[in-house]
Amino acid sequence: MDKWLTHPTALKIISVLLGVLLFAVVHIDPETTPQATVSSVDTQALEAVTIEPVGLDEEKYVLTAMEPTVVRIVVEGPISNLRKNSPADYVVQVDLTGVKPGLQELPLSLKLPRGIQEVELSPRKVTVQIEEIVNKTFEAQVITEGEPAEGYVAGTPAILSENGNTVQVTLPRDDMNKVGLVAVTMDVEGAEKSIENKKAKVVVYDTEGQEIPNAKVEPSTLHVETKVTRPFKLVPVQVRYSGSLSDDLSLVSVTPELDMVTVYAEQQLLDEITVYDGVVLDLSKVKQSGMIKVKTTPVDGIEAVNPGEIELAVIVEGTTTKTLANLPIKVIGADSGNTVELTSPASGTIDLVIGGAESVLKDVTAEDVAVIAKVDGLAPGVHTIPLELELPPYVQLVLEGGQSLSATVEITGGSVMSEGDEQQEDIEAGGATPTPPGESNEGGGNGGSEDGVPDVGAGNGSGNSTADGSLNEAKLAEDVRGGVATAA
């Protein structure tokens, strides 16, 4: 050892080492001395990782509740691994495979990235509520919201979809028991025309009127429409005529296929409409019995009619005639206190020839015809006045050999009648009981229009009768030939 220390080379080496140590002691700052080596492993906490349910048979069941829905995870691993993984790489699952309906507690499983280890999972179990899914068919309804423009009304909404208003609703069984209504909504606020083919979402409501948001509906939308129109009313049909039949034909009956039609008009006018007479049959086009389509034309302020046309069942036969003898002439309308005497014809009766179909005429008797002489407003004196006739439907007057349908009356002023005496206003020739003014003769009816063919009410075949068979006095005053005939 002494030899080694005294060796020149060894002394040089030792001197160099001592010099280096002395330099280090003098020049290196202890404050900057490197710290101890940092560990390469660390821990990380994730506070709210969402629990993912898996394995549930979603065609049969639904997860309606889970508590809790998030968990806390603490993991450990290399710092580099911890830094490169995001929270989405940490998967917490609850396996619902084969789980039956009900409330139950199940364990959680944790899937971690490579190189990461679990330190803590809290909680380790979760409580789930599983319910059975059921399907049920409902008929959807349409709910209208708002009001149409002033003067318009909204009709009954309709569903236009291929399967009508039928939809299938899928819900958990408990929720299905709460369903109160399945409907689509249509907004008609301010509308002035019909809303057509609108696509609307089907919504399921509970019994308290609240939407059930988790309901699945098939189909999810429906096509709907709502008519927005003027006010409307259902009224009976009355047929009018134009033209005339050929001389060898007469009407037996004209029957509309529909007794009633819908008319649209302003409400004030609609309140006054009691019958629709816009159906006009052109008799010149009738050559034989059969069905004839006629348009329902808007008349007298009516804006529209539904349907736009109807069919008439028209029956015609060959024309024949019949003579009614000794028909009494009724004088009506005499002023109070006046006496009226029928001077011509002196007998107070008249013979008439009527024409029409044989099947119609065979049942017509003298009691079905009224011959009327109106003296309303005539002053005392001698007057020749036209006679008016009340004839059954589809019966016409036939004038032969220059026959004049008129009568001569003499009106004289009478004495003032004592109180309580019955005032004589109407006189029937020959001393018969007078007929009060405006009273129609029993069994009579004009059944005619201005061109000599009767108007037809809603299925009853009489222009002087309404749909219920009551007498239409306004029409009596208008009709001339075929029901009430007037001649000079």
Side-chain angles (χ1 to χ4, degrees):
M1 181 61 137
D2 292 337
K3 290 182 178 180
W4 184 81
L5 290 175
T6 59
H7 193 279
T9 301
L11 291 174
K12 292 179 181 179
I13 293 172
I14 293 171
S15 298
V16 171
L17 291 174
L18 289 174
V20 171
L21 289 173
L22 289 173
F23 180 83
V25 170
V26 173
H27 291 88
I28 295 177
D29 186 355
E31 301 263 341
T32 62
T33 302
Q35 300 294 318
T37 302
V38 178
S39 173
S40 62
V41 177
D42 200 358
T43 59
Q44 183 178 4
L46 296 92
E47 298 295 339
V49 179
T50 301
I51 300 173
E52 177 185 343
V54 295
L56 182 65
D57 186 350
E58 296 183 353
E59 292 185 358
K60 296 181 179 180
Y61 307 106
V62 62
L63 175 64
T64 57
M66 182 170 63
E67 182 61 34
T69 58
V70 296
V71 295
R72 182 177 186 271
I73 303 175
V74 178
V75 294
E76 179 183 73
I79 295 176
S80 58
N81 286 1
L82 294 175
R83 289 178 177 175
K84 74 179 181 180
N85 291 299
S86 67
D89 296 321
Y90 299 86
V91 180
V92 181
Q93 295 179 333
V94 56
D95 188 3
L96 303 178
T97 304
V99 175
K100 299 300 181 182
L103 187 67
Q104 48 209 294
E105 189 177 59
L106 298 174
L108 296 175
S109 63
L110 178 61
K111 292 184 178 181
L112 299 175
R114 183 182 296 274
I116 304 297
Q117 295 181 345
E118 174 191 340
V119 175
E120 179 185 346
L121 174 62
S122 179
R124 289 190 171 276
K125 291 186 177 182
V126 64
T127 302
V128 296
Q129 174 72 43
I130 306 297
E131 290 188 23
E132 182 183 3
I133 292 176
V134 293
N135 299 318
K136 190 174 181 180
T137 299
F138 290 87
E139 291 187 356
Q141 301 180 25
V142 182
I143 301 173
T144 55
E145 293 183 344
E147 294 293 334
E150 185 177 356
Y152 289 82
V153 294
T156 302
I159 294 176
L160 307 178
S161 297
E162 182 178 349
N163 295 325
N165 62 342
T166 301
V167 297
Q168 182 172 279
V169 176
T170 301
L171 276 172
R173 184 176 296 278
D174 287 350
D175 288 342
M176 186 67 78
N177 294 332
K178 300 175 184 177
V179 174
L181 176 67
V182 179
V184 295
T185 301
M186 174 170 282
D187 186 6
V188 298
E189 183 65 33
E192 295 182 351
K193 61 180 181 179
S194 297
I195 303 172
E196 299 177 348
N197 202 29
K198 179 179 176 62
K199 190 176 182 181
K201 179 183 177 182
V202 182
V203 179
V204 180
Y205 299 91
D206 62 21
T207 53
E208 296 181 355
Q210 301 298 316
E211 181 179 352
I212 302 178
N214 62 324
K216 295 181 180 179
V217 186
E218 181 61 37
S220 60
T221 60
L222 295 174
H223 291 269
V224 295
E225 72 173 11
T226 298
K227 297 293 184 182
V228 177
T229 64
R230 290 291 191 184
F232 56 89
K233 183 178 181 180
L234 199 64
V235 294
V237 175
Q238 180 171 286
V239 179
R240 293 189 296 117
Y241 301 89
S242 66
S244 59
L245 291 170
S246 59
D247 294 339
D248 60 338
L249 289 179
S250 290
L251 285 173
V252 175
S253 67
V254 176
T255 307
E257 64 168 344
L258 298 176
D259 291 344
M260 313 285 281
V261 294
T262 303
V263 296
Y264 299 82
E266 294 183 0
Q267 190 61 54
Q268 183 177 0
L269 176 61
L270 203 63
D271 293 339
E272 300 174 356
I273 297 175
T274 58
V275 66
Y276 168 70
D277 61 356
V279 176
V280 180
L281 174 60
D282 185 354
L283 295 175
S284 65
K285 297 181 179 179
V286 178
K287 306 302 180 183
Q288 60 185 7
S289 299
M291 301 298 294
I292 298 178
K293 287 187 177 181
V294 181
K295 293 187 179 299
T296 53
T297 307
V299 294
D300 300 331
I302 294 174
E303 296 183 8
V305 183
N306 186 38
E309 63 179 18
I310 63 174
E311 282 193 318
L312 304 176
V314 180
I315 299 178
V316 293
E317 290 181 2
T319 300
T320 187
T321 60
K322 182 176 184 178
T323 300
L324 299 175
N326 300 319
L327 297 174
I329 300 173
K330 293 182 179 180
V331 180
I332 65 173
D335 291 340
S336 176
N338 287 345
T339 300
V340 180
E341 181 182 358
L342 187 60
T343 59
S344 177
S347 64
T349 63
I350 191 173
D351 297 341
L352 293 179
V353 178
I354 56 175
E358 182 177 358
S359 60
V360 174
L361 294 185
K362 69 178 182 178
D363 296 323
V364 177
T365 65
E367 287 73 22
D368 299 323
V369 179
V371 183
I372 301 171
K374 292 183 178 180
V375 296
D376 307 67
L378 295 182
V382 178
H383 304 274
T384 299
I385 58 175
L387 297 177
E388 296 182 1
L389 298 183
E390 292 179 359
L391 296 172
Y394 312 121
V395 175
Q396 301 88 36
L397 173 67
V398 178
L399 295 177
E400 296 181 336
Q403 181 183 11
S404 175
L405 197 62
S406 63
T408 302
V409 296
E410 182 178 356
I411 302 175
T412 58
S415 60
V416 177
M417 304 178 71
S418 62
E419 185 176 354
D421 287 343
E422 188 175 346
Q423 297 180 349
Q424 181 177 351
E425 295 183 353
D426 302 329
I427 301 175
E428 181 177 339
T433 304
T435 303
E439 180 177 309
S440 61
N441 85 304
E442 187 175 341
N446 75 343
S449 66
E450 295 179 356
D451 56 16
V453 185
D455 284 343
V456 180
N460 64 7
S462 175
N464 289 335
S465 300
T466 60
D468 61 0
S470 60
L471 192 63
N472 186 334
E473 295 183 358
K475 197 64 183 175
L476 276 173
E478 290 180 9
D479 292 344
V480 183
R481 184 181 165 209
V484 175
T486 304

